[in-house]
Amino acid sequence: MKIPKNAKRVFHGVMFDVYQWEQAMFDGSKQTFEMMARAPSTDVIAVVDNKIIVLMQEQPTKPLFPSLPGGRVESGSAPLETAKREMSEETGYEAKQWKLLGEWFGASKLYFHESVFIAKNCKKVAGQKLDAGEKIKITFMDFEDFLQLCRNERFTAPLGLKFMMYEALVDSKKKKELMGKIFK
Amino acid sequence: MKIPKNAKRVFHGVMFDVYQWEQAMFDGSKQTFEMMARAPSTDVIAVVDNKIIVLMQEQPTKPLFPSLPGGRVESGSAPLETAKREMSEETGYEAKQWKLLGEWFGASKLYFHESVFIAKNCKKVAGQKLDAGEKIKITFMDFEDFLQLCRNERFTAPLGLKFMMYEALVDSKKKKELMGKIFK
């Protein structure tokens, strides 16, 4: 959901902003409504031959979890630019062909722009350049194992992507479509 | 994820609080980390004979969406108490037997306690008592249709429950288990 135009930013943080506005109710009375906006984030499905890169990460507040290359989009950056930079830093891989798989905009009380890109024919061109808050091991998964990742509670990924992966497990037509988008 | 003990509340809102703390990184440097806490919420799977109550709701900022009876747990209230009150107000139904189906605590940057209760053998004992911000139509779904609801993007429910429903679609053993919990 988008932040309403008449909303006022009442808190500005490192990663989260809070907005409030007076909302007219069905009977004409008013209530203070509140929404969060989270800094945008982007993730990459990086294809190496017939495999997808999956990171096994550790962060200072989070024990080992699987994720995709990606991260927070700094203000002034575009999601694709961030996707390319994060993939390069976290994996040392580069791709010539990029396309957007999907983007989502959070849930009812949270505005959160998440985008997932597909990076095709990735090649290793350098080593990792990790932040002080990252420990990352690169692994490679085939499509079937990748789909099963959505069932892993520790898998950190955009919710929209997780639902897309579940849909592929539930509906064979959607599975074919997703496989085509990633590998064709 | 729980809010770290050393975190300071830097914003207190209507529905959201923001916390910050200085986090030691792997190289000993420090960064300001931020997390949200959202007011707890509870939902009810209300069983009437072999059907589940599903609400078709409208709210001032949200066009028609399916959901379960439930709502925000006010400070000082227990989730079960809220579940009973919301079910009574939104549907006019009551149940003698209640049990907890599951509870969840948000994602990595958000502390959000959500609980889902099962209310068995519900009976209509009164009319609806709706808030100024609610328009609610009561419908009844069988178990198969209810499970398919998780695939509806407009279905507003705890993420943990949505994943539990997807798991039931993907894994027939989990489907049997969930059906048993709800109807037995």
Side-chain angles (χ1 to χ4, degrees):
Chain A
M1 181 184 155
K2 295 243 158 130
I3 308 285
K5 287 228 168 82
N6 60 327
K8 257 205 348 225
R9 192 172 77 185
V10 294
F11 175 81
H12 176 49
V14 177
M15 178 167 273
F16 292 101
D17 292 342
V18 185
Y19 291 83
Q20 289 180 346
W21 68 98
E22 293 304 302
Q23 177 67 48
M25 307 307 276
F26 290 127
D27 66 354
S29 65
K30 292 202 168 185
Q31 278 184 28
T32 301
F33 270 38
E34 196 170 79
M35 262 187 79
M36 308 289 318
R38 179 170 171 173
S41 176
T42 188
D43 287 84
V44 181
I45 296 178
V47 182
V48 182
D49 301 322
N50 60 345
K51 306 264 184 178
I52 292 165
I53 293 180
V54 174
L55 308 181
M56 293 305 301
Q57 287 211 51
E58 270 179 87
Q59 290 179 0
T61 59
K62 269 179 92 174
L64 205 63
F65 63 96
S67 78
L68 299 173
R72 197 195 318 178
V73 179
E74 303 294 340
S75 116
S77 289
L80 179 57
E81 186 188 339
T82 302
K84 289 178 178 176
R85 184 176 47 71
E86 290 284 356
M87 187 168 84
S88 162
E89 290 176 3
E90 293 181 332
T91 70
Y93 279 71
E94 265 183 15
K96 286 211 173 110
Q97 204 195 332
W98 289 79
K99 67 183 197 193
L100 183 68
L101 173 64
E103 56 184 343
W104 298 274
F105 296 90
S108 66
K109 305 243 178 283
L110 174 70
Y111 180 78
F112 182 23
H113 179 193
E114 295 176 288
S115 48
V116 175
F117 292 95
I118 301 169
K120 304 217 167 189
N121 289 314
C122 294
K123 305 260 180 268
K124 193 161 170 58
V125 295
Q128 292 173 307
K129 284 172 231 119
L130 300 179
D131 290 343
E134 294 177 323
K135 287 185 186 176
I136 295 177
K137 191 172 162 269
I138 297 166
T139 69
F140 301 89
M141 281 193 185
D142 64 27
F143 184 63
E144 293 295 337
D145 287 341
F146 172 71
L147 284 190
Q148 292 294 329
L149 258 189
C150 71
R151 307 178 63 188
N152 178 340
E153 281 177 27
R154 302 202 56 77
F155 178 48
T156 302
L159 279 176
L161 178 64
K162 283 196 189 181
F163 287 127
M164 198 182 256
M165 292 162 74
Y166 260 116
E167 280 295 313
L169 290 177
V170 169
D171 179 337
S172 61
K173 213 179 116 195
K174 288 189 179 165
K175 181 172 172 179
K176 250 191 174 160
E177 270 171 30
L178 183 59
M179 194 158 82
K181 279 183 189 164
I182 294 176
F183 291 103
K184 259 179 207 149
Chain B
M1 181 186 155
K2 295 242 158 134
I3 308 286
K5 288 229 167 81
N6 60 327
K8 252 195 11 211
R9 192 172 76 184
V10 294
F11 174 82
H12 176 50
V14 178
M15 180 169 270
F16 292 102
D17 292 342
V18 185
Y19 291 82
Q20 290 181 345
W21 69 97
E22 292 304 302
Q23 177 67 48
M25 308 307 278
F26 290 127
D27 66 355
S29 66
K30 292 204 168 182
Q31 277 184 29
T32 302
F33 271 38
E34 196 169 79
M35 262 186 79
M36 307 291 317
R38 180 171 171 170
S41 176
T42 188
D43 287 83
V44 181
I45 295 178
V47 181
V48 181
D49 301 322
N50 60 345
K51 306 264 183 178
I52 293 165
I53 293 181
V54 173
L55 308 181
M56 293 305 301
Q57 287 211 51
E58 270 180 88
Q59 289 178 1
T61 60
K62 270 179 93 175
L64 206 63
F65 63 95
S67 78
L68 299 174
R72 195 193 321 176
V73 179
E74 303 295 340
S75 118
S77 289
L80 179 57
E81 184 189 340
T82 302
K84 288 178 179 176
R85 184 176 46 73
E86 290 284 354
M87 188 169 83
S88 161
E89 290 175 5
E90 293 182 333
T91 70
Y93 280 71
E94 264 183 15
K96 285 210 173 110
Q97 204 194 335
W98 288 78
K99 67 184 197 192
L100 184 68
L101 172 65
E103 56 184 342
W104 298 275
F105 296 90
S108 65
K109 305 244 178 282
L110 174 70
Y111 180 78
F112 182 23
H113 179 193
E114 294 175 288
S115 48
V116 175
F117 292 94
I118 301 169
K120 304 219 167 189
N121 289 315
C122 294
K123 305 259 178 269
K124 193 160 170 56
V125 295
Q128 292 172 308
K129 284 172 233 121
L130 300 180
D131 290 342
E134 293 177 322
K135 287 186 187 177
I136 295 178
K137 190 172 163 270
I138 297 166
T139 69
F140 301 88
M141 281 193 184
D142 65 27
F143 185 62
E144 294 295 335
D145 288 342
F146 172 72
L147 284 189
Q148 292 293 330
L149 258 188
C150 71
R151 306 178 63 188
N152 178 339
E153 283 177 24
R154 301 201 58 76
F155 179 49
T156 302
L159 280 175
L161 178 64
K162 283 196 189 184
F163 286 127
M164 198 183 255
M165 292 161 75
Y166 260 117
E167 280 296 314
L169 291 177
V170 168
D171 180 336
S172 61
K173 213 179 116 195
K174 289 189 180 164
K175 183 173 171 177
K176 249 191 175 160
E177 271 171 29
L178 183 58
M179 194 158 83
K181 278 182 190 166
I182 294 176
F183 292 102
K184 260 179 207 149

